[in-house]
């Protein structure tokens, strides 16, 4: 197993290279780079309404116009030297391949560059936003798994009973109500919307955080997290519960379970000694996607609604602003975390069922 782990770790740089290269190529043909965005803002042109763009690249967006030979929309009447100074500011005075190799060279030593619009290193910016996303993602995923797996097992064992039917109503609501709608409902009910004002809306901590005792800091932290985590849990809770139930039902109805029962094994011995190991494999397979989704994508609207400045909001704003260092820096970090979580998932497979030997299969 150790050699398998080493091989997987060795593949991570190659995979990262492919991800960054592909996305860099996509960005080069995407309309509206940072230079054009700045020029459009100077001239009062809405960046989202740019037309006449060819496939020459985001840094050299061409516009068909008879009044100017400028490479950028909104550059008419502006001093060419001024435009060149903006290009130098964003690093677009270099051709695309030079910028690509320079970026990859810096990424090898984890130098993520500096944001175009903020005087801060991208790595420091990501670390600044990380606590919000980690808090939301880890606690949401933990609660989802702690609640959904026992509930899914209980529903499978009691399939068709009153317990199964009644809990299914709750699950249907979880499927039907989007997390952002549930977040708005929580705000209306418990965060000063229309009824109670029990929970705060901004930040992970209160303004007097430094003056609180250790116990007070812990309570304050969870006080701020309660509503956003509840809003994120609702959808994932429903999905994982049904996944667990269906997985266990499929295993319970297999021949080896009937054989084990015929040999006199107890229900718990059969369920947790045989069924659990096989049924949990598909649940474990969903863990990396669930955690990554909670960390970086599923929390975007929740961060906006609850005014939490995390990685999801950072990445979204960077795309709108064409802040390429932040876009590629967050993509780089997200990719590393996702690849490592996939490796953790494989190791969890082996822990749950030692018969699964990835190293033997690789040979």
């Amino acid at each position: 197993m150790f050699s398998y782990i080493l091989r997987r770790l060795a593949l991570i740089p190659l995979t990262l290279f492919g991800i960054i290269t592909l996305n860099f190529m996509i960005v080069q043909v995407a309309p509206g780079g940072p230079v054009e965005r700045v020029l459009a803002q100077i001239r009062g042109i809405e960046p989202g309404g740019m037309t006449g763009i060819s496939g020459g690249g985001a840094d050299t967006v061409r516009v068909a116009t008879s009044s100017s030979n400028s490479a950028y929309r909104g550059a008419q009447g502006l001093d060419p030297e001024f435009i060149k100074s903006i290009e130098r500011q964003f690093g677009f005075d270099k051709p695309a391949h030079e910028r690509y190799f320079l970026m990859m060279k810096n990424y090898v030593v984890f130098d993520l560059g500096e944001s175009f619009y903020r005087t801060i290193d991208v790595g420091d910016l990501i670390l600044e936003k990380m606590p919000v996303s980690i808090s939301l993602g880890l606690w949401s995923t933990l609660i989802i798994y702690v609640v959904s797996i026992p509930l899914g097992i209980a529903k499978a064992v009691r399939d068709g009973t009153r317990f199964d039917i009644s809990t299914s109503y709750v699950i249907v609501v979880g499927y039907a109500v989007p997390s952002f709608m549930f977040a708005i409902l929580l705000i209306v009910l418990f965060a000063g919307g229309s009824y109670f004002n029990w929970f705060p809306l901004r930040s992970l901590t209160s303004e007097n955080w430094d003056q609180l005792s250790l116990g007070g800091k812990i309570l304050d932290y969870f006080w701020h997290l309660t509503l956003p985590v509840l809003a994120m849990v609702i959808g994932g809770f429903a999905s994982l519960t049904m996944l667990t139930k269906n997985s266990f039902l499929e295993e319970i109805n297999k021949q080896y379970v009937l054989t084990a029962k015929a040999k006199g094994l107890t229900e718990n011995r059969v369920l947790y000694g045989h069924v659990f190991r096989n049924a949990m494999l598909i649940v474990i397979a969903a863990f990396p996607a669930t955690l990554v989704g909670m960390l970086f994508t599923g929390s975007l609207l929740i961060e906006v609604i609850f005014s939490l400045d995390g990685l999801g909001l950072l990445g979204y704003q960077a795309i709108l602003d064409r802040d390429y260092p932040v876009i590629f820096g967050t993509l780089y970090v997200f990719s590393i975390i996702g690849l490592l979580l996939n490796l953790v998932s494989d190791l969890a497979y082996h822990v749950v069922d030692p018969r699964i030997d990835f190293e033997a299969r690789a040979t």
Side-chain angles (χ1 to χ4, degrees), residues 148-274:
S148 298
I149 292 177
L151 180 59
I153 295 173
K155 286 176 66 62
V157 173
R158 299 170 176 82
D159 184 42
T161 64
R162 183 177 298 178
F163 171 81
D164 180 41
I165 295 173
S166 60
T167 53
S168 293
Y169 288 121
V170 178
I171 292 174
V172 168
V173 173
Y175 273 122
V177 180
S179 59
F180 71 90
M181 290 296 296
F182 189 60
I184 295 173
L185 176 63
L186 291 175
I187 291 174
V188 171
L189 293 178
F190 304 114
S194 298
Y195 296 93
F196 306 103
N197 190 15
W198 293 347
F199 296 95
L201 285 178
R202 295 181 178 276
S203 184
L204 287 181
T205 57
S206 299
E207 293 181 358
N208 63 337
W209 166 265
D210 294 332
Q211 285 74 46
L212 297 175
S213 63
L214 177 60
K217 289 181 177 179
I218 294 174
L219 290 176
D220 183 75
Y221 170 73
F222 284 108
W223 181 47
H224 283 76
L225 274 180
T226 299
L227 295 189
V229 167
L230 281 177
M232 293 181 64
V233 161
I234 185 71
F237 153 79
S239 302
L240 187 62
T241 298
M242 291 308 300
L243 177 65
T244 304
K245 177 190 174 181
N246 294 334
S247 179
F248 272 80
L249 276 178
E250 182 179 355
E251 293 296 324
I252 287 173
N253 293 323
K254 288 185 176 179
Q255 184 62 42
Y256 76 88
V257 175
L258 299 177
T259 303
K261 289 180 179 179
K263 290 181 178 180
L265 297 180
T266 63
E267 288 284 344
N268 285 340
R269 180 68 182 276
V270 173
L271 183 64
Y272 295 104
H274 298 277

Side-chain angles (χ1 to χ4, degrees), residues 16 33 36 40 53 88 107-108 129 138 169 183 226 247 277 356:
L16 280 173
E36 182 152 351
I53 298 170
R88 286 193 296 271
Y107 278 11
V108 170
K129 311 298 182 184
L138 286 182
Y169 288 121
T226 299
S247 179
R277 182 172 58 185
I356 299 178

Side-chain angles (χ1 to χ4, degrees), residues 64-80:
T65 174
S66 59
S67 60
S68 174
N69 292 325
S70 172
Y72 303 104
R73 182 179 178 88
Q76 295 87 346
L78 295 178
D79 185 355

